Amino acid sequence: MTQKFKLTLVTAALVALGVQLPAQAAGFQLAETSATGLGRAFAGEAASAENPSVQARNPAMLSYLEGRQVSVGAVYVMPEVNTPGNITIDSPLLPQSLTVPADVNDVANNAVVPNFYYSSQLNDRWTWGLALNSNYGLETELPASHAAAIFGNKTSVTTVELNTNIAYKIDRHFTVGGGMRFVYGEGEIGATAPAWIDSVRGLPTLPATVAAQLPASGSELKHLKGDDFGMGWRAGATWQIDDNNRIGFAYSSKVKLDLEGHADGALYSGAGDKVPGYIPLELPAFAELASYHQITDNFALQASINWTDWSTFDELVVYFPHEQKPVSGADSDLVKAENFKDNWRYSIGGTYQATKALTLRAGMALDKTAVTDEHRTITIPDSDRLWFSLGAGYALSDAMTVDLGVTYIEAHGDSPINETQSLLNLAQVTYQGEATGHVWLAGLQFTYKM
C-alpha cells in the first residue's frame, strides 16, 4: 500500500459542494440517494422508475427508462443529535469516585449530500447508466476539552461511490441488471484529554509521579486518518406481474477498504513523528425487496424492506506493519469495539398524479438501529428512527421535471449509552447517558430527458 492524501477529482467535486456526511440511516449508512425518493421515505425505490436515480437502488429498473436522461440533485441534512449524560471517574488513587456533567449537544453538523445519474436506452432490450452518490458517511465532533472527549472527540467517514450499471429486458415480465461499485473512502477518528483531567491533577491526595503522567486537557491522545479505494458489485431484478403490479429486488456487495495513513497523539507517537498504519473498514452489503402497485389511474402504493449486513462491523483496529511502531511497540491497537448487528428498515408510501404536470408523494418508514443497548457509543449514537416524508414533482416541460422532498426523522424509543474507557491504566472512566434527537432533510432534484 502507499499513502494517499489527495482526493480524486470526483471526490473533490463532491467535497466542493460541502459534503460532510452525518448518517441518517442505521450505523453510518446514508439513504439520501435522491430528492425524488425522499418524498415518499424511499418506499418502493427498487421497484419504481421515475428517473435515472432509481439505479442507486436497483440497476434492473433502468429498463423502464426511455431514451437518454440525466438527473442531478442534492439533499440538505439538518441534524439535531444530543447525548445528555455524566462521566464517572473511579481509581484507587482517588479518595472517592468523581462525577462530572458530560452532556453532548448538537454533535453532528449540517451537510449537503449531492447526487448525479445518467441513463441511456441502447435498444428495446438494453439500457445502461452511471450513478455518482454516497452510500455511507458519518461525522460527529466534540470540543477537544469536552468531558466526554476521551471516548472520541472526532469520528468521520466519508465515501464517494461511482456505479456503472446495465440492464437487460428479458421479456415483458422480467428484467435483470448489474453493475460495478467503485468507492473512495476516507476515515478519521480521534480522542483528546478532557478538561476534568486538570482538576484531577490538582487533587492534593494524588501522588506527584501520577499527576506528572496525566496529559494536559485538550491534548491529543489518539488520532488516526487514512483513505483507500475499493470495488464491489451489485445486481437486481424486477418482475412485472401485470400492468399494475411490480416487484423489484436488488443486492449490493460489501466493499473492503484499508484506510491507510498515519497515527499520532500521546498514546501512539508521543512527541515524535506520526506513525504509518492502516485501519481495515468493511462497508457492509445491503439489499432491498420492493413493490409497486397502481391502485387507480392516479394513485400508486409503494413499499420496501431493506437489510444491511452491519454484523460485519464489530471493531476498529489500527495496524502498524512498518518498521516505525507506536510508543507501545505493538503491531496493532484496538481503537474501539462496536459490535453492530444486522439492520432492517420498513417503509410504505404513495404517489398521486394530481394533474398531468403535478405529482404528489408521501411516505413513512421505521429504520431499526444497528446497535444493541449495551454496545451503543458516543461516537456513533445510533437509535431506532421514524421517518415522515412529503414530496412533489412538477413537469416544467415535456423534457424537464423538478422534484422536491422533505423528511422529518425522530429518534424512537430508549437509546441508553454506557461506555467505559481506561485512562492510562490509572483510572476507569465511564460515560452514562442517552442518545436523543431529530433530523430534517430537504431535497431538490432536476431531471432532463434528452
Side-chain angles (χ1 to χ4, degrees), residues 80-353:
E80 181 70 36
V81 181
N82 306 312
T83 59
N86 294 304
I87 291 286
T88 302
I89 305 111
D90 293 293
S91 173
L93 300 172
L94 300 176
Q96 61 184 18
S97 296
L98 300 179
T99 300
V100 180
D103 291 352
V104 179
N105 297 315
D106 201 13
V107 68
N109 297 324
N110 294 357
V112 175
V113 184
N115 60 73
F116 172 84
Y117 305 98
Y118 173 78
S119 67
S120 177
Q121 184 183 26
L122 300 177
N123 53 46
D124 291 342
R125 298 281 186 176
W126 294 94
T127 306
W128 71 278
L130 291 173
L132 182 63
N133 59 11
S134 179
N135 282 302
Y136 297 95
L138 168 72
E139 185 187 30
T140 56
E141 189 170 4
L142 300 177
S145 59
H146 190 277
I150 190 173
F151 294 95
N153 74 307
K154 182 175 180 62
T155 301
S156 174
V157 175
T158 302
T159 66
V160 179
E161 180 164 340
L162 174 67
N163 300 148
T164 56
N165 302 305
I166 193 162
Y168 178 71
K169 185 176 182 179
I170 299 173
D171 56 31
R172 62 185 297 267
H173 292 291
F174 297 100
T175 64
V176 293
M180 295 297 298
R181 306 180 65 191
F182 302 96
V183 181
Y184 170 84
E186 184 178 52
E188 183 177 5
I189 187 167
T192 51
W196 51 257
I197 280 187
D198 290 341
S199 300
V200 172
R201 184 188 292 105
L203 292 173
T205 56
L206 194 69
T209 54
V210 174
Q213 297 180 50
L214 297 177
S217 66
S219 62
E220 215 162 55
L221 299 176
K222 292 183 177 182
H223 179 253
L224 307 104
K225 185 175 182 179
D227 63 351
D228 193 19
F229 287 92
M231 294 175 56
W233 56 272
R234 57 214 318 261
T238 65
W239 175 26
Q240 189 73 45
I241 302 171
D242 55 36
D243 291 342
N244 297 319
N245 298 280
R246 180 167 62 243
I247 293 176
F249 176 79
Y251 175 87
S252 293
S253 76
K254 63 185 178 183
V255 175
K256 292 184 177 182
L257 302 174
D258 286 335
L259 303 178
E260 185 173 358
H262 62 262
D264 57 351
L267 300 181
Y268 286 144
S269 61
D273 296 332
K274 296 176 180 179
V275 182
Y278 71 94
I279 300 179
L281 178 65
E282 183 175 300
L283 304 177
F286 56 94
E288 178 176 354
L289 177 64
S291 65
Y292 177 95
H293 310 281
Q294 192 72 45
I295 305 300
T296 69
D297 289 343
N298 295 329
F299 178 71
L301 182 67
Q302 292 136 292
S304 287
I305 298 175
N306 298 75
W307 164 85
T308 303
D309 189 20
W310 274 120
S311 57
T312 61
F313 185 59
D314 56 355
E315 61 184 14
L316 285 173
V317 179
V318 57
Y319 292 92
F320 306 102
H322 305 287
E323 289 187 12
Q324 186 181 354
K325 302 294 182 184
V327 291
S328 66
D331 292 324
S332 65
D333 178 56
L334 175 62
V335 179
K336 203 152 199 176
E338 297 292 352
N339 297 299
F340 274 29
K341 62 178 182 177
D342 288 358
N343 142 263
W344 293 87
R345 184 181 189 273
Y346 311 92
S347 57
I348 187 168
T351 301
Y352 180 72
Q353 196 69 44

